[in-house]
Amino acid sequence: MKNLISTTAIALCLALPAGAEDYQPDPNAQSGGGIVITYKDDVATLDPAIGYDWQNWSMIKSLFDGLMDYDPGTTDLRPGLAESYTISDNGTVFTFQLRADVKFHNGREMTAEDVVYSLNRVTNPETQSPGAGFFWSIKGYDAVASGEAETLEGVTITGPSTVQIELSRPDATFLHVMALNFASVVPQEAVEAAGDDFGKSPVGTGAFSLAEWTIGQRLIFAKNDDYWRNGLPYLDQITFEVGQEPIVALLRLQNGEVDVPGDGIPPAKFQEVMGDPAQAERVVEGGQLHTGYITLNTQMPPFDNAEVRRAVNMAINKDRIIQIINGRAIPATQPLPPTMPGYTEGYEGYAFDPATARAMLAGAGFADGFETELYVMNTDPNPRIAQAIQQDLAGIGITAVIKSLAQANVIAAGGEKDQAPMIWSGGMAWIADFPDAANFYGPILGCSGAVQGGWNWSWYCNQELDAKSTEADAIVDPARAGERLEMWSEIYMEIMEDAPWVPVFNEQRYTMKSERMGGADALYVDPVSIPINYDYVFVTD
Amino acid sequence: MAGFFLRRLAQSLLILLGVSMITFVLLYWLPADPVRQIAGRSATPQTVENIRQQLGLDQPLWVQYWRYLGGLVQGDLGRSYLQKTEVSTLIASRLPASLLLMAGAIFAELLIGLSMGIIAALRRGTVTDQSLMIVSFIGVSAPQFVVGLLLLYVFAVQLGWFPIGGYGTFAHLVLPSMTLGILGSGWYSRMMRSSMIEVLRQDYIRTARAKGLNRMRIIFRHALPNAILPIIAMIGIDIGIFMGGIVVVESVFGWPGIGQLAWQAIQRVDIPIIMGVTLVSATAIVIGNLLADFISMIVDPRIRTR
């Protein structure tokens, strides 16, 4: 608190001014009408503390709001339910000023108490939230997570509509954390009334409210007329029809019955659709915060030798692998995908050069190559990709036996220190939870993930880089954001030097839409709302 | 008779107990960890352990099974791990759709199977007979997802006679019922054919013919009822085959039944739902078999004395 007062002047400068760089919605947008989205699987839950698959993620975004949000179609943070916020200069105290005009779907006005309740709820072990761990930096998190306390010590109400959150250490990603669905504000009375069924009868502050849910058939979202963002949403209604195979959804789209197939274009039909100009025109392509990679277990010989890992990096023909998936990706040069802030522009990565790779292998003492195992998830196209990798490795004398297993088995093998020398990440690859460079480090490349049952399958643990990442994330001043990203870029470049991974490709996203759908293309490949940003799209008929 | 029925009922309950036990153990030994599925990839080890404790999955197998059984006798199938909804609610809301589909499939398989069998029997040894039997053979062997997609493509996409998947009207019911029914119709046509041939050989048919009754009357009034009886008893057993088939057919046609629920739950390792659907299906199969026994008993009094 003392800290905060002494630095008010600086903090005020950091407060994000509303207005200046506000997102400008499409001037041609029309209100009214409804659209039909299809999915194969029924929606699991719409409880923002529980929902954690890419299907319900964007649906929850339209039903709920958090203190922070993103400009549509971008990875730029903007205030959500918070009108403005200040950060103390040491980066540990965030003060959010709430909007005054926000109502829940049940008609009650949202208050600071709701914000506090929501954060306490998501971190309470009884809620069983898969996202609880994201809030690790809030002071008092450990006590709540272990069941010793009911409320987070660091979250307090400091004014009629002011919430202050104190962190146990500076965390530059904290605003992104507050934009996660897990940080959505929920009304206590509705949560308690519904109990475990809150996920089936959600009440939020979002642009839409749940009007109907017929299990196994459809969900209908109705426009929230009292939505606090004026003029939004444009659509009166969204119908999600579930239980539709992607192939059936595509046929129905061609028949004019569906507006967006939520599961995308089925791989078997991809070339046919893209080969037909009339259909290809309605496909929006965009980047995805995704990287597919091969992990090389740095604890298992011979991959404990960095020279061997670098040689493997030069042996893989990424273009050929991309052909296997119909060109639905771009070659990756580094762990971060190109659309992620912190991506190192101009870095070419390891060139495909089997001759040099073979020489490097010989230099490392493996002139005759060696035998190893490549773990892979057993659903198409991953075994085919593994075969391509196998051939590439054979090209430099490495004999790799493919271990094609169920997803859970591959994950389990990767979580053991001495089991999987190589894993192709397809089907389990990392897609960012939030658009920040830090999200690609800790669990998959940092020391904290190199534990039994962890996701750091190359068991790469570089203490220096861990220290540097902590240092980078302590830079919370938005004015120094560039400096922070520069540090992250350096971290990933050092990782490439050590080569615990072979980054293979970054998957592209292809969203198909009906002719009547309007709005900028960016809304259809929104990095945080997959498949589309429901609040800003509209229909033209 | 009552003794026979009670004995079969007691056996059925034992079978269900066995099914619940075997399924529970199999799911327990599954390499996939349901807690990891719930926790997702960003969960800290602490979050994972918290969830494991909350769900009671840190307990030994027999404790977990005993708890499950305790709920079961009170009609409580537990709550879905991922959806948090009560499994009984999920199944109850989807069961009507599956039962409707099954009724449609039984109708389809009887209609197709019996007519094919009758025609083949009457045209025994001709090209018609042989072609029908080849068709029935294909019907028995063709994988249901292929049949489903083919029917969907031809009759819904190309000809536009039926909606492309979904649920709600009679038109929605036709293609999935056909897909499910085609498999059974292959069996029925063969059984009907041999049963009909058998009956047509009987003396009373010759008598009827000698009396000068017209051909249609002989077939439909005298031969058919006797030929059909042993086949009707098979319908109960069919329910078991359907329970396997609906998982595939419901997924292809987007039919909101318990097969689709099971399929989605399997992919997400949502054990309470898998258990629930397995038990409900097992119950349906057991009831079907009881029914088959019961019908056979009425149709064929010889069984009663056994």
Side-chain angles (χ1 to χ4, degrees), chain A residues 458-475:
Chain A
S458 50
W459 289 82
Y460 175 70
C461 173
N462 184 332
Q463 302 287 356
E464 271 172 46
L465 292 187
D466 256 31
K468 191 165 180 174
S469 76
T470 308
E471 195 190 329
D473 281 351
I475 304 177

Side-chain angles (χ1 to χ4, degrees), chain A residues 40-45 50 52-53 55 125-130 132-134 141-142 145-146 196-197 200 215-218 242-245 247-248 251-252 255 257 407-409 411 430-433 439 443 451-455, chain B residues 31-33 36-47 50-51 54-55 79 81-86 89-90 93-94 97 149 152-153 156-157 163-168 250-256 260-261 263-264 267-268:
Chain A
K40 181 170 165 294
D41 289 344
D42 201 352
V43 176
T45 174
I50 307 291
Y52 193 25
D53 59 53
Q55 175 188 13
E126 281 178 25
T127 310
Q128 298 175 26
S129 171
F134 285 114
Y141 168 80
D142 289 336
S146 60
D196 278 341
D197 291 324
K200 286 276 185 292
I215 291 174
Q217 296 181 46
R218 81 185 74 79
V242 298
Q244 310 256 332
E245 283 290 320
I247 184 92
V248 174
L251 293 171
R252 293 188 60 208
N255 222 15
E257 297 171 28
Q407 184 188 46
N409 299 34
I411 293 173
W430 199 255
I431 299 178
D433 294 300
N439 194 238
V451 291
Q452 202 206 7
W455 284 77
Chain B
D33 180 357
R36 291 226 148 254
Q37 287 284 321
I38 301 165
R41 55 209 169 81
S42 291
T44 56
Q46 188 183 30
T47 309
N50 277 338
I51 294 175
Q54 293 288 331
L55 295 175
R79 278 181 184 268
Y81 286 163
L82 290 156
Q83 310 193 24
K84 310 284 175 208
T85 315
E86 288 203 23
T89 312
L90 289 170
S93 63
R94 283 169 170 271
L149 282 176
L152 199 64
Y153 188 71
V157 178
I164 310 171
Y167 175 72
E250 289 187 350
S251 290
V252 170
F253 288 95
W255 192 264
Q260 201 187 46
L261 181 68
W263 177 239
Q264 292 170 8
Q267 289 171 314
R268 297 176 181 184

Side-chain angles (χ1 to χ4, degrees), chain B residues 2-268:
Chain B
F4 170 82
F5 197 70
L6 283 176
R7 206 165 52 239
R8 295 286 290 119
L9 205 65
Q11 282 172 357
S12 305
L13 284 176
L14 268 179
I15 290 173
L16 289 179
L17 188 71
V19 168
S20 77
M21 212 180 285
I22 293 170
T23 320
F24 202 90
V25 171
L26 282 179
L27 290 174
Y28 183 85
W29 288 114
L30 212 62
D33 180 357
V35 178
R36 291 226 148 254
Q37 287 284 321
I38 301 165
R41 55 209 169 81
S42 291
T44 56
Q46 188 183 30
T47 309
V48 172
E49 276 326 297
N50 277 338
I51 294 175
R52 199 184 302 283
Q53 264 180 29
Q54 293 288 331
L55 295 175
L57 291 174
D58 52 340
Q59 303 288 324
L61 173 64
W62 67 271
V63 175
Q64 290 184 37
Y65 181 65
W66 190 246
R67 279 187 190 166
Y68 186 81
L69 217 55
L72 202 60
V73 293
Q74 298 167 50
D76 180 7
L77 290 171
R79 278 181 184 268
S80 151
Y81 286 163
L82 290 156
Q83 310 193 24
K84 310 284 175 208
T85 315
E86 288 203 23
V87 173
S88 47
T89 312
L90 289 170
I91 292 179
S93 63
R94 283 169 170 271
L95 201 57
S98 287
L99 292 178
L100 180 67
L101 177 58
M102 239 187 268
I106 290 175
F107 182 77
E109 70 178 3
L110 288 179
L111 189 75
I112 304 171
L114 298 190
S115 356
M116 273 169 54
I118 294 168
I119 296 170
L122 295 177
R123 298 260 185 282
R124 189 179 170 200
T126 64
V127 180
T128 318
D129 178 21
Q130 281 161 359
S131 351
L132 281 174
M133 286 306 106
I134 290 172
V135 170
S136 84
F137 185 68
I138 295 172
V140 171
S141 339
Q144 284 177 321
F145 70 92
V146 175
V147 175
L149 282 176
L150 269 177
L151 290 180
L152 199 64
Y153 188 71
V154 174
F155 294 102
V157 178
Q158 292 297 313
L159 298 173
W161 294 353
F162 299 103
I164 310 171
Y167 175 72
T169 67
F170 176 72
H172 286 99
L173 180 62
V174 177
L175 292 182
S177 302
M178 293 281 288
T179 310
L180 208 49
I182 279 176
L183 173 71
S185 71
W187 295 114
Y188 278 105
S189 64
R190 286 173 167 255
M191 284 191 306
M192 188 66 205
R193 179 176 173 274
S194 41
S195 175
M196 193 76 180
I197 288 171
E198 187 68 26
V199 170
L200 286 174
R201 276 207 202 110
Q202 303 293 319
D203 291 343
Y204 71 91
I205 297 291
R206 201 180 334 140
T207 312
R209 212 177 278 156
K211 267 199 318 193
L213 289 181
N214 84 27
R215 191 174 149 80
M216 281 301 156
R217 192 170 161 81
I218 294 172
I219 294 166
F220 286 101
R221 181 73 190 81
H222 295 281
L224 199 55
N226 287 304
I228 277 184
L229 274 178
I231 289 171
I232 296 297
M234 299 296 297
I235 295 176
I237 295 165
D238 268 358
I239 294 176
I241 300 170
F242 284 146
M243 278 297 168
I246 56 171
V247 175
V248 174
V249 174
E250 289 187 350
S251 290
V252 170
F253 288 95
W255 192 264
I258 59 170
Q260 201 187 46
L261 181 68
W263 177 239
Q264 292 170 8
I266 290 166
Q267 289 171 314
R268 297 176 181 184

